[in-house]
Amino acid sequence: MSRPSPRIEIAHEALKRAILEQALQPGTKLPEDEIGAHFGMSRTLVRAVLGRLQAEGLVDARPKRTATVAQPSLTEARDVFEVRRALEAEVVRLVIKRWEPAFGAQLEGLVREEDAARERDLPAVWGRLAGEFHITLARLSGNAVLVRYMEELVTRCSLILAVYGRPHAHDGGVNEHAEIIAALRAGDAGQAVAIMDHHMEVVERRAIAEETPAETPALGDVLARYAGAIAAKDAAIPLKAPVRAK
């Protein structure tokens, strides 16, 4: 199987990160022509990117309509958290069964990154890293199906936070994650599940505050910021090369 085009990878990662860090708010339109012009891609490739984001729950792409950043309803938001709380408990149980000292070091590294983002007053980055903590925890469970569901749930929760969350909604998350690690390391499944359930209850209270979302900047400005940082890793890939017919 051939690898996806580097342009697709950059466009996908740039859009995904911009959505998760709330630079692109729910409901923001994602015109194919503007995205294609920015990344030097045909409409066919842009649709492939939007299709991946839709599969991840980040984009709403309907036939004959301009794709938009997904905008969950309040009912859906509550449903998502209900399912996530149940799966987070199962993640904890599975991780304890497979626990290795290296797991603790990996998770603590993520907590340090969260702490650094908090100290630099970067709440959006902090929020994305908090999600990565839970996705990493799911991966440590060794269950690929569970990982796939958790990845979708975590991204949907990020959108819920963007729509309904209060300012500084991630306050306290780093300390809570540290408590989860300590419980996992102790090997007490009952205690670890209880701490995780309390953590998710607190996260849900932070996320669903029913406040009006902030205005989002222009799509082109956001793409330039995120794609530039990602493309810098591979200077050989120009972002605005001529579009080739597909």
Side-chain angles (χ1 to χ4, degrees):
M1 182 180 294
S2 60
R3 295 182 61 186
S5 162
R7 296 182 198 281
I8 290 180
E9 293 301 314
I10 292 176
H12 171 263
E13 183 63 23
L15 284 164
K16 182 175 182 177
R17 187 168 295 187
I19 293 170
L20 293 180
E21 293 188 3
Q22 302 171 35
L24 292 176
Q25 292 287 321
T28 300
K29 291 185 177 181
L30 303 170
E32 293 177 2
D33 54 353
E34 186 173 353
I35 295 173
H38 188 89
F39 292 102
M41 299 193 307
S42 67
R43 282 180 176 267
T44 299
L45 294 182
V46 172
R47 286 170 189 154
V49 171
L50 294 175
R52 286 178 61 180
L53 293 168
Q54 183 178 29
E56 295 167 341
L58 294 171
V59 164
D60 184 5
R62 301 180 184 180
K64 299 182 179 180
R65 292 187 180 182
T66 301
T68 61
V69 176
Q71 189 164 7
S73 67
L74 187 59
T75 298
E76 180 184 356
R78 289 173 174 148
D79 288 347
V80 166
F81 270 100
E82 186 175 35
V83 174
R84 183 175 170 187
R85 286 177 70 173
L87 292 187
E88 290 278 13
E90 187 59 26
V91 166
V92 166
R93 294 187 186 98
L94 292 175
V95 171
I96 283 184
K97 289 180 180 179
R98 302 180 69 245
W99 185 260
E100 299 176 7
F103 291 0
Q106 184 175 352
L107 293 170
E108 285 169 342
L110 290 171
V111 169
R112 285 194 293 273
E113 290 184 42
E114 289 182 64
D115 201 24
R118 179 178 59 178
E119 290 179 356
R120 294 167 59 195
D121 194 24
L122 299 173
V125 176
W126 184 3
R128 176 175 58 80
L129 291 170
E132 289 183 10
F133 175 90
H134 286 271
I135 291 172
T136 298
L137 195 60
R139 289 172 181 155
L140 295 177
S141 75
N143 187 311
V145 175
L146 186 56
V147 172
R148 187 165 71 247
Y149 287 137
M150 284 301 301
E151 286 177 340
E152 180 176 340
L153 288 169
V154 169
T155 57
R156 287 182 184 276
C157 286
S158 295
L159 290 173
I160 291 165
L161 179 63
V163 178
Y164 301 108
R166 299 186 300 272
H168 309 298
H170 297 290
D171 287 354
V174 175
N175 293 335
E176 292 160 6
H177 286 172
E179 291 174 3
I180 290 169
I181 296 171
L184 292 171
R185 187 173 273 130
D188 186 335
Q191 179 71 359
V193 169
I195 293 173
M196 175 62 82
D197 189 65
H198 173 72
H199 172 58
M200 290 312 306
E201 180 183 354
V202 172
V203 170
E204 182 175 359
R205 287 203 305 266
R206 294 176 190 139
I208 304 179
E210 302 183 53
E211 293 189 357
T212 303
E215 294 185 2
T216 187
L219 174 61
D221 294 340
V222 174
L223 290 179
R225 175 154 51 97
Y226 280 84
I230 294 167
K233 298 178 181 178
D234 191 343
I237 303 174
L239 293 182
K240 294 189 177 182
V243 177
R244 296 181 180 179
K246 297 290 181 182

